[in-house]
Amino acid sequence: MDYIYNAIKDANQISLRLDVYIVNEESRLAELKDYAERLTQLQDEFVDNKDGWAGNPVSVYQFTKAYTDEWDETFTAYQENNQTEALEDIQNLKKAYMPGTEDMDGVTDGFARLLNTYKISASEIANGTVKGIYTGEITAFECNNIAQDFHKREFTQLALDWYDVAIAKVRKEASGIVPTSCHNGTCPVWSENVAEVSIKNIEASRSIAVELLEKQKRNFTIDLQALADGYNQEEELQESIKEEIMDMHHDGQIKYYGRELVRNLHTKQSYEQLCRGAVEDKLKDPSLVCTYTNNDNHPLLVIQPAKMEILSWSPYIVIYHDILSDSEASTLQNLTIDHLERAQGIPSKPTSDDEGMVMDSRISRYHYVEDDEPIVVRMNKRIEAITTLKSVTPSAEILQVGNYGMGGQYEPHFDWFGKEQVDVLTEYKANRIATMLFYLSDVQAGGATVFPLIDVHIPVKKGAAAFWLNLDDELEGVQNTLHAGCPVLFGSKWIANKWIHTYNQNVQCFKQSSNENNNTSKTVE
Ligand SMILES: O=C(O)CCC(=O)C(=O)O
Ligand SMILES: [Fe+2]
């Protein structure tokens, strides 16, 4: 999905080359056509003037010439100009830069994720809007394609919804109501018969999907157990999620089974609810305020103190507003855009050669920027000024810049390492005491960072940074720091992560100074 921004440039190259290929191919064929016409003409002359023609030396010459030299010339030229290489080039370009089948699967999954998370109905999209943003009405044919793709990926309930919309659309289009997007384009004109045949075909696929859904329902307990086994959390949480879902199943409250069930369980309902921003603003703790901090007159903060919004005291979560300028955000994007790689997650029980693995739960691309890059030098100084924590290696990890495209997300996870991970993965056996998450872009919709266990919701705001403590006083990981990056509905989300470690840090000094800030900071009106 995020490949799309680069792919658009290459797509233009490919379509230009394809145009040239077609023009050449048409002229190659035109020459063959001229020759074929000449043969027909000779044949006609022969039929019209049978005996005279055969005795006419000029005709005999023409006939013989046409089937010998002219034949050879025409076919040699036709075969020589065959453009096999040009076609191969175009196909290689496509292979190198354009989406492949696995991307189509990824797009289908991302699309399903958006529809489920943001509760967007099939008919809403089919009629051309998503959350009030115009996306263009789509045809019955396209609705059926979407249904088929969801079906293939076993998003069965979604497939059913889309088959229904496709059938309704065929009826509409057959009665002469074509989508607005079709007025100038090429869209199907349905005769009643064609419409009936199409509806029958769609209904046939639909009934296969109905059977699949029944089968998925029967497999419910097995899916649930498999999910619980793979769940990367404390035993207690697994059990509670399982029980909650089991009750919902018995009460007939579950709409999605199979892959959709697994996803909905895994992300837990509160995550998605928070993503929708549907959680009522809880009665806020009156001590949670907006303040400025200059961190005890730190030289970098005297003239421009950091604008700080406290979201939670325990775990400690704050937002620093306007901590990066637009040009700094662009610099980080420009430094990484050509090097982004698909993000990897780290398994909960890693082995020493586990570098990480591509996971469905983390759909984004990322690249690291070294500590000696001037912009990072500035950022690290700023982080240290604000938090008192050292932000260069080996007290912290190097800056990770990440990008999420449509449907891109990072499902609930902890930034701190579990015991087994600390031992295997970190050089100094140090854990991530704090996270500073910079937002390098705005997004039109979606993409918020959420803490589902404590109902904290941080919208993506260019130039701001979220900062939180991952460990408690005993340097143990805090469960309530479970957090997620919601799926991006519209736009492209850019972030930068600075993970600060316990190694060579005066943690107590940090704690003290954040408490002093709390006492001395002034409230912003
Ligand atoms: O994208 C987000 O909002 C969260 C990212 C995150 O949690 C991470 O990269 O560890
Ligand atoms: Fe995270």
Side-chain angles (χ1 to χ4, degrees), residues 350 352 417-430:
S352 51
F417 298 121
K419 200 101 208 52
E420 294 171 55
Q421 292 175 316
V422 171
D423 289 347
V424 175
L425 296 173
T426 67
E427 195 180 343
Y428 297 92
K429 311 233 176 298

Side-chain angles (χ1 to χ4, degrees), residues 410 413-415 435 468 483 497 499:
Y410 194 172
H413 66 279
F414 303 110
D415 282 356
T435 299
W468 67 91
H483 64 280
N497 272 308
W499 286 298

Side-chain angles (χ1 to χ4, degrees), residues 336-388:
T336 51
I337 190 156
D338 290 331
H339 309 283
L340 297 172
E341 280 169 37
R342 175 81 192 267
Q344 312 211 314
I346 293 164
S348 53
K349 293 186 178 113
T351 59
S352 51
D353 45 31
D354 248 326
E355 293 260 307
M357 51 196 200
V358 171
M359 289 179 169
D360 259 6
S361 55
R362 188 174 186 196
I363 313 260
S364 63
R365 295 185 308 157
Y366 74 100
H367 188 67
Y368 293 95
V369 189
E370 296 290 335
D371 275 341
D372 57 5
E373 190 65 51
I375 173 133
V376 178
V377 173
R378 281 210 306 276
M379 285 168 75
N380 283 341
K381 282 196 181 135
R382 215 169 292 165
I383 298 170
E384 292 185 14
I386 294 170
T387 65
T388 76

Side-chain angles (χ1 to χ4, degrees), residues 447-468:
T449 307
V450 296
F451 290 71
L453 301 180
I454 48 174
D455 286 358
V456 167
H457 164 268
I458 307 174
V460 177
K461 181 84 186 63
K462 190 175 181 176
F467 174 82
W468 67 91

